[in-house]
């Protein structure tokens, strides 16, 4: 048993290091389980003797050497246990330490007299983060995770551990009229020692030059300590109009809140930015992304979002096709237009430009999983998103769900613990999903009920709860909680006429949507109208084939 346990520990480490398929671990466990009773049988009926292995009944008790072999086995067991302890220590403290070339940029403190200047200090730190993200060989923790510590006076060593980062950049911004003072410190997260610090007093109109100065100093320090092979720091993307840049920073600050009012206000700020500076490619790209996010929240119709995003992605691409944000927005638009391969092309280009672009890995995973059925590639993308953004709610939720699907439940439980503190409502949903395995549907319902009680604004838990009620046949509860029931749910409840009307309305909103057309075909088939169902279903799949080519 000790030997088997040791083999499993070795297999787990080797599988992770060599990136072997997920089935390796279960296969080894199965072989060891089969071998265990065989080992018991042999040890019961046979004995080791100087002449070799013999049946126990044939060995004279006076000639037995079981006390000697027993002592040898004791030494073997002790040796295996010592090796297992060493392996455990390696796995826990060495293997899982932060990557040597990794950094987290914390939100800079707003030291101005006006608390409303938070958007400016956040914007400075985010732009520095984006510059560092483009350095080859450097892992940069994404904004979502590093900004979780905004306003919290935590120990840098603990922050480094939670973000899995070897270095931390922190600072402060004081803005007063046309003057700005920016203070920055680069800290070794393993011991809390300051490696470099500097204060910059500059005119606000030269803010881009200040950021370039800071990023160059940081890169120089990282090159010294990490041996990064970088000729020069990437340049901050400058706007021609300072007011446009100010509006852009406010927009990014608002869109990061991921609330419908916040994103709606962000759209207005981005519109102001491009009105003040029509050649501001980055603002055009972020405006397109924000419009598509509103469609995801059902705050804009898909047609309205696509029209806005098409206008601004085309303008951004014409202005500067070298920006990762431009390709990210174009990929997101292509995905909503049911062009998955085109979306992947732009997502991959965005990652080439900025290897630390965690949101793109999440969007790529959705396209690979939902549109193309390339599940293993989708899982790799999801896993990468979590490594880059370990405290991102969407990334962690998607990763936990993927682990549950793969029956990697111990890993899912560890990842799920992150949600308990940063997103209790999502933790309740995932806990319900996790405990409902094996047909325990009530656990899933209870999880969604808990999530809805924690956060009544979480539409995801509400929609999921309505669906679970429908699955359980609780029609009144399902319809009562669902403001806009989907055609699939109506079909499940036997309301086929309403389901067809809903599917037809969805297709009218996006006539070229292959998903909407396939949905109508399936809904018509569920209603028994096969004559109308077949052409809709085939047309939808024909669109899919054309777009995949």
């Amino acid at each position: 048993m000790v030997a088997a346990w040791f083999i499993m520990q070795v297999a787990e480490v080797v599988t992770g290091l060599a990136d072997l398929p997920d089935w390796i671990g279960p296969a080894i466990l199965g072989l060891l389980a089969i071998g265990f009773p065989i080992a018991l049988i042999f040890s019961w009926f046979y004995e080791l003797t100087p002449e070799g292995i013999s049946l126990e009944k044939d060995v004279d008790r006076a000639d037995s050497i079981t006390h000697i072999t027993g002592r040898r086995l004791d030494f073997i067991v002790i040796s295996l246990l010592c090796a297992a302890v060493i392996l455990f220590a390696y796995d826990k403290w060495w293997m899982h330490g932060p990557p040597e070339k990794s950094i987290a940029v914390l939100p800079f403190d707003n030291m101005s007299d006006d608390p409303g200047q938070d958007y400016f200090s956040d914007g400075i730190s985010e732009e520095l983060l984006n510059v560092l993200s483009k350095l080859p060989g450097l892992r940069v923790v994404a904004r979502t995770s590093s900004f979780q510590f905004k306003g919290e006076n935590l120990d840098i060593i603990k922050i480094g551990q939670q973000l899995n980062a070897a270095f931390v950049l922190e600072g402060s911004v004081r803005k007063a009229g046309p003057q700005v003072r920016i203070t920055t410190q680069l800290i070794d997260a393993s011991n809390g020692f300051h490696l470099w610090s500097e204060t910059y007093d500059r005119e606000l109109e030269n803010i881009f030059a200040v950021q370039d100065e800071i990023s160059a100093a940081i890169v120089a320090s990282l090159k010294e300590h990490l041996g990064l092979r970088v000729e020069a720091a990437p340049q901050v993307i400058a706007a021609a109009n300072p007011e446009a840049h100010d509006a852009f920073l406010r927009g990014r600050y608002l869109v990061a809140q991921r609330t419908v009012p916040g994103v709606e206000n962000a759209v207005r700020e981005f519109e102001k930015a491009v009105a003040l500076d029509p050649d501001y490619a980055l603002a055009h790209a972020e405006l397109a992304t924000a419009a598509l996010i509103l469609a995801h929240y059902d705050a804009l119709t898909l047609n309205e979002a696509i029209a806005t995003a098409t206008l601004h992605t085309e303008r951004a691409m014409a202005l500067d096709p070298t920006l990762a944000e431009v390709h990210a927005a174009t990929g997101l638009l292509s995905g909503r237009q049911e062009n998955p391969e085109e979306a992947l092309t732009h997502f991959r280009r965005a990652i080439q430009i900025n290897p630390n672009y965690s949101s793109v890995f999440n969007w790529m995973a959705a396209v690979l999983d939902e549109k193309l059925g390339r599940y293993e590639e989708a899982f790799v993308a999801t896993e990468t998103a979590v490594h880059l953004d370990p405290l991102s709610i969407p990334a962690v939720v998607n990763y936990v769900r993927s682990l549950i699907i793969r029956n990697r439940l111990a890993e899912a439980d560890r990842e799920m613990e992150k949600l308990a503190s940063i997103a209790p409502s999502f933790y309740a949903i995932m806990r319900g999903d996790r405990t409902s395995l094996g047909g325990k549907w009530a656990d899933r319902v209870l999880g969604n009920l808990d999530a809805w009680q924690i956060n009544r604004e979480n539409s995801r838990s509400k929609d999921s709860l309505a669906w679970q009620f429908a699955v359980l046949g609780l029609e009144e509860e399902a319809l009562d909680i669902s403001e806009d029931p989907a055609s699939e749910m109506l079909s499940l409840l036997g309301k086929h006429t309403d389901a067809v009307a809903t599917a037809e309305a969805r297709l009218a909103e996006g006539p070229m949507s292959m998903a909407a057309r396939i949905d109508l075909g399936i809904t018509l088939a569920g209603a028994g109208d096969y004559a109308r169902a077949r052409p809709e279903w085939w047309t939808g799949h024909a669109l899919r084939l054309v777009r995949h080519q």
Side-chain angles (χ1 to χ4, degrees):
M1 287 182 69
V2 173
W5 181 74
F6 177 71
I7 290 169
M8 287 300 300
Q9 296 300 309
V10 172
E12 183 178 0
V13 173
V14 172
T15 300
L17 288 174
D19 196 24
L20 296 176
D22 293 340
W23 57 264
I24 294 290
I28 292 175
L29 178 62
L31 290 172
L32 291 172
I34 293 170
F36 183 66
I38 297 173
L40 283 178
I41 292 169
F42 269 87
S43 64
W44 185 265
F45 289 105
Y46 289 88
E47 184 177 326
L48 288 172
T49 69
E51 289 76 27
I53 298 175
S54 302
L55 282 168
E56 188 180 21
K57 64 183 181 63
D58 297 334
V59 178
D60 190 329
R61 291 300 92 195
D63 298 331
S64 175
I65 58 168
T66 54
H67 61 289
I68 299 174
T69 56
R71 187 170 180 79
R72 288 174 181 169
L73 286 173
D74 286 343
F75 283 120
I76 292 172
V77 169
I78 291 170
S79 300
L80 286 172
L81 284 172
C82 290
V85 169
I86 294 170
L87 184 68
F88 174 79
Y90 165 79
D91 185 53
K92 184 172 180 63
W93 288 291
W94 183 34
M95 182 182 168
H96 290 151
E100 182 186 12
K101 299 179 181 180
S102 58
I103 188 170
V105 180
L106 300 185
F108 283 20
D109 293 329
N110 173 26
M111 305 298 289
S112 307
D113 295 332
D114 180 9
Q117 293 296 322
D118 269 7
Y119 78 90
F120 186 80
S121 54
D122 281 7
I124 296 293
S125 44
E126 185 174 359
E127 289 185 334
L128 287 172
L129 184 153
N130 289 335
V131 168
L132 295 174
S133 293
K134 296 169 186 173
L135 294 175
L138 181 65
R139 174 184 168 270
V140 181
V141 177
R143 179 198 193 281
T144 315
S145 292
S146 58
F147 275 50
Q148 291 279 347
F149 299 96
K150 182 178 174 66
E152 296 187 18
N153 190 23
L154 294 181
D155 180 68
I156 289 294
I157 296 175
K158 291 182 179 178
I159 291 175
Q161 290 170 346
Q162 290 191 50
L163 295 178
N164 200 29
F167 297 90
V168 171
L169 180 73
E170 65 172 5
S172 64
V173 177
R174 183 184 297 275
K175 184 181 176 187
Q179 300 290 325
V180 63
R181 167 174 286 188
I182 301 175
T183 302
T184 56
Q185 301 96 29
L186 182 64
I187 304 168
D188 186 337
S190 66
N191 52 33
F193 291 162
H194 284 63
L195 303 176
W196 165 85
S197 64
E198 191 62 72
T199 298
Y200 301 85
D201 290 302
R202 298 289 189 275
E203 293 288 332
L204 195 55
E205 63 183 28
N206 295 322
I207 188 64
F208 300 112
V210 179
Q211 291 177 78
D212 284 336
E213 273 189 75
I214 296 170
S215 58
I218 295 166
V219 169
S221 182
L222 289 174
K223 284 172 67 176
E224 177 186 345
H225 289 90
L226 300 180
L228 287 177
R229 296 180 179 178
V230 183
E231 294 300 322
Q235 297 291 297
V236 173
I237 301 164
N241 186 311
E243 289 183 45
H245 180 62
D246 207 51
F248 171 77
L249 291 182
R250 284 196 297 270
R252 267 201 168 169
Y253 177 79
L254 290 164
V255 83
Q257 296 172 13
R258 283 300 195 269
T259 64
V260 171
V263 181
E264 286 175 337
N265 288 327
V267 166
R268 286 189 277 274
E269 292 294 340
F270 292 137
E271 287 174 338
K272 180 180 177 182
V274 297
L276 290 166
D277 184 358
D279 294 337
Y280 199 173
L282 197 54
H284 282 287
E286 294 292 359
L287 175 52
T289 299
L292 293 167
I293 290 172
L294 284 179
H296 179 70
Y297 291 157
D298 295 324
L300 268 184
T301 67
L302 184 57
N303 282 348
E304 290 171 332
I306 287 176
T308 299
T310 300
L311 174 66
H312 291 284
T313 52
E314 288 178 354
R315 178 66 175 150
M317 192 66 75
L319 288 167
D320 193 347
T322 67
L323 293 179
E325 291 84 355
V326 173
H327 286 280
T330 306
L332 198 58
L333 173 61
S334 298
R336 296 311 299 265
Q337 291 176 314
E338 308 295 345
N339 295 319
E341 292 294 351
E342 185 178 317
L344 288 181
T345 298
H346 285 290
F347 288 153
R348 290 190 179 109
R349 179 64 185 132
I351 290 167
Q352 281 180 338
I353 299 168
N354 181 356
N356 291 285
Y357 208 149
S358 61
S359 297
V360 172
F361 283 103
N362 249 340
W363 298 338
M364 182 187 291
V367 169
L368 288 165
D369 185 278
E370 299 167 14
K371 307 288 186 184
L372 299 174
R374 288 152 60 175
Y375 304 117
E376 287 309 310
E377 291 178 66
F379 180 71
V380 171
T382 301
E383 201 168 32
T384 304
V386 169
H387 288 324
L388 292 172
D389 205 351
L391 299 182
S392 163
I393 296 169
V396 174
V397 167
N398 292 338
Y399 188 43
V400 169
R401 184 167 284 116
S402 297
L403 290 171
I404 291 173
I405 289 170
R406 286 162 176 76
N407 204 38
R408 291 164 58 173
L409 302 181
E411 294 171 76
D413 290 340
R414 286 197 298 270
E415 287 295 325
M416 201 162 30
E417 287 304 314
K418 295 179 184 177
L419 295 173
S421 57
I422 64 175
S425 63
F426 281 97
Y427 172 73
I429 293 173
M430 300 313 299
R431 185 189 62 213
D433 287 355
R434 165 72 174 85
T435 57
S436 68
L437 296 177
K440 300 174 183 176
W441 287 95
D443 283 358
R444 180 169 288 184
V445 173
L446 289 171
N448 282 286
L449 274 171
D450 287 344
W452 197 34
Q453 287 179 330
I454 293 168
N455 182 6
R456 293 297 179 112
E457 300 300 318
N458 189 337
S459 60
R460 187 169 187 169
S461 62
K462 186 178 178 182
D463 293 342
S464 182
L465 187 58
W467 180 261
Q468 299 307 324
F469 282 145
V471 168
L472 294 174
L474 300 172
E475 177 181 326
E476 183 179 346
E477 289 84 351
L479 295 176
D480 183 58
I481 201 173
S482 179
E483 296 174 1
D484 186 21
S487 57
E488 298 96 323
M489 194 178 88
L490 293 168
S491 293
L492 188 63
L493 293 171
K495 294 183 171 296
H496 297 294
T497 302
D498 293 341
V500 170
T502 300
E504 287 175 336
R506 180 187 176 194
L507 182 60
E509 182 183 317
M512 294 306 294
S513 168
M514 65 180 184
R517 198 165 287 278
I518 292 171
D519 177 42
L520 177 57
I522 293 172
T523 305
L524 287 166
D529 191 348
Y530 302 114
R532 289 180 61 201
R534 288 190 185 92
E536 296 291 350
W537 191 86
W538 280 112
T539 302
H541 280 280
L543 284 170
R544 173 175 288 176
L545 289 172
V546 168
R547 286 169 181 170
H548 284 191
Q549 290 172 352

